[in-house]
Amino acid sequence: MPNPSQQIMRLGFGFAVSQALRVIIELGIPDLLAVGEQSVDELAAATQSDADALYRVMRLLAPEGVVREVLPRHFELTEVGAVLRSDQSGPRDFVRMINSEAYLAFEQLMHSVRTGKPAFDKVFGSPRFDWLSAHPEQAALFQRAMVALGQGSNEAVADACDFKPFTRIVDVGGGHGQLLSAILARNPHLDGVLFDLPSGVAAARQGAGGDLPRTEFVAGNFFESVPTGDVYVIKKVIHDWDDRRAAVILQNCRKAMLPNGKVFVAETLVPPGDEPNQIKGIDVVMLAVTGGLERTQTQYESLFDAAGLRLQRVIQTRGSISILEASAA
Protein backbone atom coordinates (compact mmCIF):
# COMPACT_ATOMS: atom_id res chain seq x y z
CA MET A 1 0.00 0.00 0.00
CA PRO A 2 1.60 3.31 -1.04
CA ASN A 3 2.05 5.90 1.67
CA PRO A 4 0.54 9.39 1.29
CA SER A 5 3.68 10.86 -0.26
CA GLN A 6 3.84 8.06 -2.81
CA GLN A 7 0.19 8.57 -3.71
CA ILE A 8 0.81 12.27 -4.31
CA MET A 9 3.88 11.50 -6.41
CA ARG A 10 1.86 9.14 -8.59
CA LEU A 11 -0.82 11.78 -9.11
CA GLY A 12 1.85 14.32 -10.00
CA PHE A 13 3.23 12.08 -12.73
CA GLY A 14 -0.16 11.68 -14.41
CA PHE A 15 0.91 14.00 -17.24
CA ALA A 16 3.69 11.55 -18.20
CA VAL A 17 1.27 8.69 -18.81
CA SER A 18 -1.05 10.94 -20.78
CA GLN A 19 1.71 12.14 -23.09
CA ALA A 20 3.15 8.63 -23.43
CA LEU A 21 -0.21 7.46 -24.76
CA ARG A 22 -0.16 10.22 -27.34
CA VAL A 23 3.36 9.24 -28.42
CA ILE A 24 2.58 5.60 -29.10
CA ILE A 25 -0.60 6.57 -30.96
CA GLU A 26 1.26 9.04 -33.17
CA LEU A 27 3.98 6.46 -33.87
CA GLY A 28 1.41 3.77 -34.71
CA ILE A 29 2.71 1.35 -32.07
CA PRO A 30 -0.73 -0.22 -31.37
CA ASP A 31 -1.10 -1.05 -35.09
CA LEU A 32 2.36 -2.60 -35.22
CA LEU A 33 1.63 -4.74 -32.16
CA ALA A 34 -1.76 -5.83 -33.50
CA VAL A 35 -0.07 -8.69 -35.38
CA GLY A 36 1.73 -9.95 -32.27
CA GLU A 37 4.55 -9.20 -29.87
CA GLN A 38 7.62 -7.40 -31.14
CA SER A 39 10.93 -6.22 -29.77
CA VAL A 40 11.56 -2.58 -29.07
CA ASP A 41 14.31 -2.64 -31.70
CA GLU A 42 11.77 -3.77 -34.32
CA LEU A 43 9.27 -1.14 -33.24
CA ALA A 44 11.92 1.58 -33.24
CA ALA A 45 13.11 0.65 -36.73
CA ALA A 46 9.55 0.69 -38.05
CA THR A 47 8.80 4.10 -36.52
CA GLN A 48 12.23 5.72 -37.00
CA SER A 49 12.59 6.14 -33.25
CA ASP A 50 15.38 5.73 -30.72
CA ALA A 51 15.03 2.20 -29.33
CA ASP A 52 16.15 3.00 -25.79
CA ALA A 53 13.90 6.05 -25.55
CA LEU A 54 10.95 4.11 -26.94
CA TYR A 55 11.58 1.31 -24.45
CA ARG A 56 11.35 3.75 -21.55
CA VAL A 57 7.97 4.98 -22.78
CA MET A 58 6.69 1.43 -23.29
CA ARG A 59 7.94 0.44 -19.84
CA LEU A 60 5.96 3.34 -18.35
CA LEU A 61 2.75 2.17 -20.02
CA ALA A 62 3.11 -1.51 -19.12
CA PRO A 63 2.03 -1.10 -15.45
CA GLU A 64 -0.96 0.90 -16.70
CA GLY A 65 -2.16 -2.17 -18.61
CA VAL A 66 -1.70 -0.69 -22.10
CA VAL A 67 1.09 -3.07 -23.18
CA ARG A 68 2.73 -6.11 -21.60
CA GLU A 69 6.49 -6.83 -21.50
CA VAL A 70 6.46 -10.55 -22.29
CA LEU A 71 10.26 -10.87 -22.61
CA PRO A 72 12.99 -8.34 -21.87
CA ARG A 73 12.42 -5.44 -24.31
CA HIS A 74 9.63 -7.36 -26.09
CA PHE A 75 6.05 -6.12 -25.84
CA GLU A 76 2.57 -7.24 -26.76
CA LEU A 77 -0.66 -5.27 -26.91
CA THR A 78 -3.25 -5.79 -24.17
CA GLU A 79 -7.01 -5.66 -24.48
CA VAL A 80 -6.86 -2.13 -23.10
CA GLY A 81 -4.18 -1.03 -25.56
CA ALA A 82 -6.07 -2.57 -28.48
CA VAL A 83 -8.63 0.26 -28.41
CA LEU A 84 -5.81 2.56 -29.56
CA ARG A 85 -5.45 0.80 -32.93
CA SER A 86 -6.37 2.87 -35.98
CA ASP A 87 -9.04 0.35 -37.03
CA GLN A 88 -10.91 0.81 -33.77
CA SER A 89 -13.42 3.60 -33.15
CA GLY A 90 -12.12 4.00 -29.64
CA PRO A 91 -10.53 6.89 -27.74
CA ARG A 92 -7.32 7.30 -29.77
CA ASP A 93 -8.43 10.58 -31.34
CA PHE A 94 -9.61 11.89 -27.99
CA VAL A 95 -6.18 11.12 -26.48
CA ARG A 96 -4.48 12.90 -29.39
CA MET A 97 -6.77 15.91 -29.13
CA ILE A 98 -6.64 16.39 -25.37
CA ASN A 99 -2.84 16.08 -25.35
CA SER A 100 -2.19 18.75 -27.97
CA GLU A 101 -3.42 22.35 -27.71
CA ALA A 102 -5.73 21.58 -24.77
CA TYR A 103 -2.74 20.13 -22.89
CA LEU A 104 -0.71 23.28 -23.50
CA ALA A 105 -3.55 25.43 -22.22
CA PHE A 106 -3.89 23.32 -19.09
CA GLU A 107 -0.34 24.21 -18.09
CA GLN A 108 -1.77 27.64 -17.32
CA LEU A 109 -4.53 26.32 -15.05
CA MET A 110 -3.44 28.75 -12.35
CA HIS A 111 -4.51 31.62 -14.62
CA SER A 112 -8.01 30.13 -14.78
CA VAL A 113 -8.16 29.60 -11.02
CA ARG A 114 -7.09 33.17 -10.29
CA THR A 115 -9.27 34.86 -12.90
CA GLY A 116 -12.11 32.42 -13.62
CA LYS A 117 -11.28 32.77 -17.33
CA PRO A 118 -10.08 30.05 -19.71
CA ALA A 119 -6.31 29.67 -19.94
CA PHE A 120 -6.67 28.63 -23.58
CA ASP A 121 -7.43 32.22 -24.59
CA LYS A 122 -4.26 33.44 -22.89
CA VAL A 123 -2.04 30.77 -24.45
CA PHE A 124 -3.44 30.82 -27.99
CA GLY A 125 -4.76 34.35 -28.24
CA SER A 126 -8.36 33.41 -29.03
CA PRO A 127 -11.20 31.30 -27.57
CA ARG A 128 -11.08 27.57 -28.18
CA PHE A 129 -13.82 27.33 -30.79
CA ASP A 130 -12.64 30.43 -32.66
CA TRP A 131 -9.18 28.87 -32.77
CA LEU A 132 -10.57 25.60 -34.11
CA SER A 133 -12.43 27.47 -36.85
CA ALA A 134 -9.10 28.88 -38.01
CA HIS A 135 -7.33 25.51 -37.87
CA PRO A 136 -9.25 22.97 -40.01
CA GLU A 137 -6.95 20.02 -39.32
CA GLN A 138 -7.30 20.37 -35.56
CA ALA A 139 -11.03 21.01 -35.96
CA ALA A 140 -11.36 17.72 -37.85
CA LEU A 141 -9.45 15.93 -35.09
CA PHE A 142 -11.77 17.54 -32.53
CA GLN A 143 -14.82 16.22 -34.39
CA ARG A 144 -13.35 12.71 -34.51
CA ALA A 145 -12.53 12.94 -30.82
CA MET A 146 -16.13 13.87 -30.07
CA VAL A 147 -17.30 10.81 -32.02
CA ALA A 148 -15.05 8.65 -29.83
CA LEU A 149 -16.12 10.39 -26.63
CA GLY A 150 -19.78 9.96 -27.55
CA GLN A 151 -19.58 6.20 -28.03
CA GLY A 152 -22.60 4.58 -26.45
CA SER A 153 -24.03 7.82 -25.08
CA ASN A 154 -25.72 8.82 -28.34
CA GLU A 155 -27.56 5.53 -28.50
CA ALA A 156 -28.44 5.84 -24.81
CA VAL A 157 -29.97 9.28 -25.37
CA ALA A 158 -31.81 8.19 -28.51
CA ASP A 159 -33.33 5.23 -26.64
CA ALA A 160 -34.26 7.16 -23.49
CA CYS A 161 -36.19 10.05 -25.06
CA ASP A 162 -39.75 9.77 -26.35
CA PHE A 163 -39.90 11.62 -29.67
CA LYS A 164 -43.31 10.31 -30.77
CA PRO A 165 -45.17 13.62 -30.12
CA PHE A 166 -42.80 15.63 -32.34
CA THR A 167 -42.23 16.09 -36.06
CA ARG A 168 -39.16 18.32 -36.47
CA ILE A 169 -36.07 17.82 -34.31
CA VAL A 170 -33.22 20.34 -34.19
CA ASP A 171 -29.85 19.07 -33.01
CA VAL A 172 -28.20 22.23 -31.69
CA GLY A 173 -24.43 22.07 -31.93
CA GLY A 174 -24.88 18.63 -33.45
CA GLY A 175 -21.36 18.43 -34.85
CA HIS A 176 -20.71 15.18 -36.70
CA GLY A 177 -24.38 14.16 -36.47
CA GLN A 178 -23.93 10.91 -34.56
CA LEU A 179 -26.73 11.66 -32.11
CA LEU A 180 -29.17 12.88 -34.76
CA SER A 181 -28.43 9.82 -36.88
CA ALA A 182 -29.31 7.53 -33.97
CA ILE A 183 -32.52 9.44 -33.23
CA LEU A 184 -33.72 9.49 -36.85
CA ALA A 185 -33.02 5.77 -37.24
CA ARG A 186 -35.36 5.07 -34.32
CA ASN A 187 -37.99 7.63 -35.31
CA PRO A 188 -38.84 7.46 -39.03
CA HIS A 189 -41.63 10.02 -38.56
CA LEU A 190 -39.14 12.75 -37.65
CA ASP A 191 -37.49 15.31 -39.90
CA GLY A 192 -34.14 16.54 -38.66
CA VAL A 193 -32.09 19.72 -38.64
CA LEU A 194 -28.35 19.49 -38.01
CA PHE A 195 -27.27 22.91 -36.73
CA ASP A 196 -23.65 23.74 -36.07
CA LEU A 197 -20.69 25.82 -37.16
CA PRO A 198 -19.51 25.19 -40.74
CA SER A 199 -16.83 22.69 -39.65
CA GLY A 200 -19.38 20.59 -37.78
CA VAL A 201 -21.87 20.69 -40.63
CA ALA A 202 -19.14 19.66 -43.06
CA ALA A 203 -18.28 16.63 -40.91
CA ALA A 204 -21.94 15.63 -40.75
CA ARG A 205 -22.41 16.02 -44.51
CA GLN A 206 -19.46 13.69 -45.07
CA GLY A 207 -21.11 11.01 -42.92
CA ALA A 208 -18.72 11.22 -39.98
CA GLY A 209 -21.53 10.42 -37.57
CA GLY A 210 -23.64 8.09 -39.70
CA ASP A 211 -26.56 8.34 -42.09
CA LEU A 212 -28.73 11.44 -41.83
CA PRO A 213 -31.90 10.92 -43.92
CA ARG A 214 -34.62 13.58 -43.90
CA THR A 215 -32.08 16.10 -42.59
CA GLU A 216 -31.56 19.77 -43.34
CA PHE A 217 -28.01 20.96 -42.74
CA VAL A 218 -27.82 24.49 -41.36
CA ALA A 219 -24.61 26.35 -40.48
CA GLY A 220 -24.93 29.17 -37.99
CA ASN A 221 -24.17 30.61 -34.58
CA PHE A 222 -26.37 29.45 -31.72
CA PHE A 223 -25.61 32.64 -29.80
CA GLU A 224 -27.54 34.52 -32.49
CA SER A 225 -30.44 32.21 -33.36
CA VAL A 226 -31.41 28.59 -33.96
CA PRO A 227 -33.77 27.01 -36.53
CA THR A 228 -37.44 26.48 -35.78
CA GLY A 229 -38.54 23.09 -34.46
CA ASP A 230 -40.81 21.45 -31.95
CA VAL A 231 -38.10 19.54 -30.12
CA TYR A 232 -34.48 20.46 -29.49
CA VAL A 233 -31.65 18.19 -28.43
CA ILE A 234 -28.49 19.77 -27.05
CA LYS A 235 -25.89 17.17 -26.14
CA LYS A 236 -22.59 18.07 -24.53
CA VAL A 237 -22.86 21.68 -25.67
CA ILE A 238 -24.12 23.63 -22.66
CA HIS A 239 -21.15 22.45 -20.58
CA ASP A 240 -18.80 24.27 -22.98
CA TRP A 241 -20.05 27.67 -21.84
CA ASP A 242 -20.38 29.82 -18.73
CA ASP A 243 -23.82 30.53 -17.32
CA ARG A 244 -24.35 33.76 -19.26
CA ARG A 245 -23.61 32.28 -22.67
CA ALA A 246 -25.27 28.95 -21.89
CA ALA A 247 -28.46 30.83 -21.00
CA VAL A 248 -28.33 32.63 -24.37
CA ILE A 249 -28.27 29.30 -26.22
CA LEU A 250 -31.25 28.05 -24.25
CA GLN A 251 -33.09 31.37 -24.67
CA ASN A 252 -32.68 31.12 -28.43
CA CYS A 253 -34.18 27.64 -28.35
CA ARG A 254 -37.06 28.99 -26.29
CA LYS A 255 -37.66 31.78 -28.83
CA ALA A 256 -37.60 29.49 -31.87
CA MET A 257 -39.53 26.62 -30.30
CA LEU A 258 -43.01 25.86 -31.61
CA PRO A 259 -45.94 25.72 -29.13
CA ASN A 260 -45.78 22.74 -26.77
CA GLY A 261 -42.18 22.18 -27.73
CA LYS A 262 -39.49 20.60 -25.59
CA VAL A 263 -35.79 21.02 -25.00
CA PHE A 264 -33.73 17.95 -24.11
CA VAL A 265 -30.32 18.82 -22.66
CA ALA A 266 -28.05 15.78 -22.46
CA GLU A 267 -25.19 16.21 -20.03
CA THR A 268 -23.39 14.28 -17.33
CA LEU A 269 -24.42 15.66 -13.95
CA VAL A 270 -21.81 16.26 -11.27
CA PRO A 271 -22.74 13.95 -8.38
CA PRO A 272 -22.50 14.99 -4.74
CA GLY A 273 -19.83 13.60 -2.44
CA ASP A 274 -16.14 12.78 -2.72
CA GLU A 275 -16.32 9.62 -4.80
CA PRO A 276 -14.03 9.53 -7.87
CA ASN A 277 -15.84 10.48 -11.06
CA GLN A 278 -14.43 11.32 -14.47
CA ILE A 279 -16.79 14.26 -14.83
CA LYS A 280 -14.95 16.12 -12.07
CA GLY A 281 -11.76 15.96 -14.11
CA ILE A 282 -13.56 17.04 -17.25
CA ASP A 283 -15.02 19.96 -15.31
CA VAL A 284 -11.55 21.36 -14.58
CA VAL A 285 -10.51 20.85 -18.20
CA MET A 286 -13.56 22.89 -19.20
CA LEU A 287 -12.43 25.63 -16.82
CA ALA A 288 -9.03 25.90 -18.50
CA VAL A 289 -9.93 25.23 -22.13
CA THR A 290 -13.39 26.64 -22.91
CA GLY A 291 -14.43 28.53 -19.79
CA GLY A 292 -17.39 26.18 -19.43
CA LEU A 293 -18.33 23.93 -16.56
CA GLU A 294 -20.01 20.68 -15.64
CA ARG A 295 -23.06 21.30 -13.47
CA THR A 296 -25.20 19.73 -10.78
CA GLN A 297 -28.92 19.28 -11.27
CA THR A 298 -29.56 22.34 -9.10
CA GLN A 299 -27.28 24.45 -11.28
CA TYR A 300 -29.17 23.34 -14.40
CA GLU A 301 -32.47 24.24 -12.80
CA SER A 302 -31.19 27.78 -12.23
CA LEU A 303 -29.87 27.94 -15.80
CA PHE A 304 -33.25 26.92 -17.24
CA ASP A 305 -35.00 29.54 -15.11
CA ALA A 306 -32.71 32.23 -16.50
CA ALA A 307 -33.58 31.12 -20.04
CA GLY A 308 -37.35 31.14 -19.60
CA LEU A 309 -37.58 27.36 -19.35
CA ARG A 310 -38.73 25.01 -16.62
CA LEU A 311 -37.05 21.71 -15.78
CA GLN A 312 -39.76 19.05 -15.84
CA ARG A 313 -37.76 15.92 -15.13
CA VAL A 314 -34.37 14.26 -15.33
CA ILE A 315 -34.26 11.09 -17.42
CA GLN A 316 -31.55 8.60 -16.50
CA THR A 317 -30.08 6.71 -19.41
CA ARG A 318 -28.33 3.37 -19.33
CA GLY A 319 -25.04 5.27 -19.41
CA SER A 320 -23.53 8.04 -17.30
CA ILE A 321 -25.25 10.79 -19.27
CA SER A 322 -28.58 12.24 -18.13
CA ILE A 323 -31.31 14.06 -20.06
CA LEU A 324 -32.85 17.18 -18.59
CA GLU A 325 -36.28 17.70 -20.13
CA ALA A 326 -37.50 21.30 -20.15
CA SER A 327 -40.48 23.20 -21.51
CA ALA A 328 -41.45 26.88 -21.71
CA ALA A 329 -41.91 28.39 -18.27
Side-chain angles (χ1 to χ4, degrees), residues 15-305:
F15 74 95
V17 174
S18 186
Q19 284 293 329
L21 286 172
R22 180 191 179 191
V23 166
I24 67 164
I25 291 171
E26 299 287 3
L27 291 176
I29 298 295
D31 286 350
L32 293 171
L33 291 179
V35 299
E37 61 94 3
Q38 294 188 49
S39 70
V40 167
D41 291 336
E42 292 171 318
L43 294 172
T47 59
Q48 298 181 325
S49 305
D50 181 88
D52 289 337
L54 180 58
Y55 173 68
R56 292 158 72 177
V57 170
M58 301 288 285
R59 182 174 60 186
L60 171 65
L61 293 175
E64 304 297 334
V66 178
V67 294
R68 184 180 298 111
E69 190 169 9
V70 291
L71 292 170
R73 295 175 68 88
H74 285 69
F75 290 90
E76 68 178 9
L77 200 61
T78 66
E79 182 179 358
V80 172
V83 304
L84 300 177
R85 290 172 9 209
S86 62
D87 63 346
Q88 299 295 310
S89 58
R92 58 179 275 117
D93 286 324
F94 175 77
V95 172
R96 292 177 62 215
M97 181 273 292
I98 205 68
N99 280 289
S100 53
E101 65 272 5
Y103 180 88
L104 295 175
F106 207 71
E107 193 273 335
Q108 293 290 323
L109 177 62
M110 182 63 77
H111 170 78
S112 295
V113 172
R114 290 194 183 280
T115 66
K117 300 181 183 300
F120 190 98
D121 301 30
K122 176 186 177 185
V123 175
F124 290 92
S126 65
R128 168 69 159 158
F129 294 108
D130 291 351
W131 188 89
L132 286 175
S133 295
H135 295 81
E137 184 176 341
Q138 288 86 351
L141 174 61
F142 176 81
Q143 291 295 340
R144 295 196 302 272
M146 293 304 99
V147 171
L149 195 60
Q151 281 188 331
S153 64
N154 292 304
E155 291 74 15
V157 171
D159 287 337
C161 291
D162 180 11
F163 294 104
K164 294 186 185 69
F166 310 108
T167 59
R168 180 176 167 88
I169 180 171
V170 182
D171 189 352
V172 178
H176 42 71
Q178 195 175 29
L179 173 60
L180 185 58
S181 177
I183 292 172
L184 293 177
R186 290 161 173 77
N187 297 273
H189 69 287
L190 279 178
D191 291 327
V193 179
L194 192 288
F195 181 72
D196 206 314
L197 295 171
S199 60
V201 171
R205 282 187 182 277
Q206 293 168 8
D211 293 334
L212 288 167
R214 310 181 307 282
T215 295
E216 178 184 359
F217 297 90
V218 181
N221 184 338
F222 48 43
F223 293 118
E224 297 174 357
S225 64
V226 300
T228 299
D230 57 356
V231 62
Y232 292 81
V233 290
I234 316 174
K235 177 177 174 285
K236 291 295 184 180
V237 169
I238 298 300
H239 75 152
D240 286 330
W241 307 101
D242 60 27
D243 284 346
R244 179 183 63 82
R245 288 180 289 183
V248 170
I249 299 170
L250 293 171
Q251 285 167 356
N252 285 335
C253 292
R254 171 68 184 87
K255 291 175 184 176
M257 187 169 62
L258 293 171
N260 301 314
K262 298 280 188 180
V263 176
F264 292 112
V265 173
E267 296 281 359
T268 303
L269 299 176
V270 178
D274 295 336
E275 292 300 314
N277 193 297
Q278 179 175 282
I279 200 63
K280 296 175 182 178
I282 293 175
D283 177 51
V284 181
V285 172
M286 304 306 292
L287 168 67
V289 177
T290 71
L293 68 153
E294 306 296 343
R295 295 173 173 88
T296 64
Q297 179 176 330
T298 299
Q299 287 174 305
Y300 274 109
E301 288 174 355
S302 298
L303 191 60
F304 285 134
D305 287 343

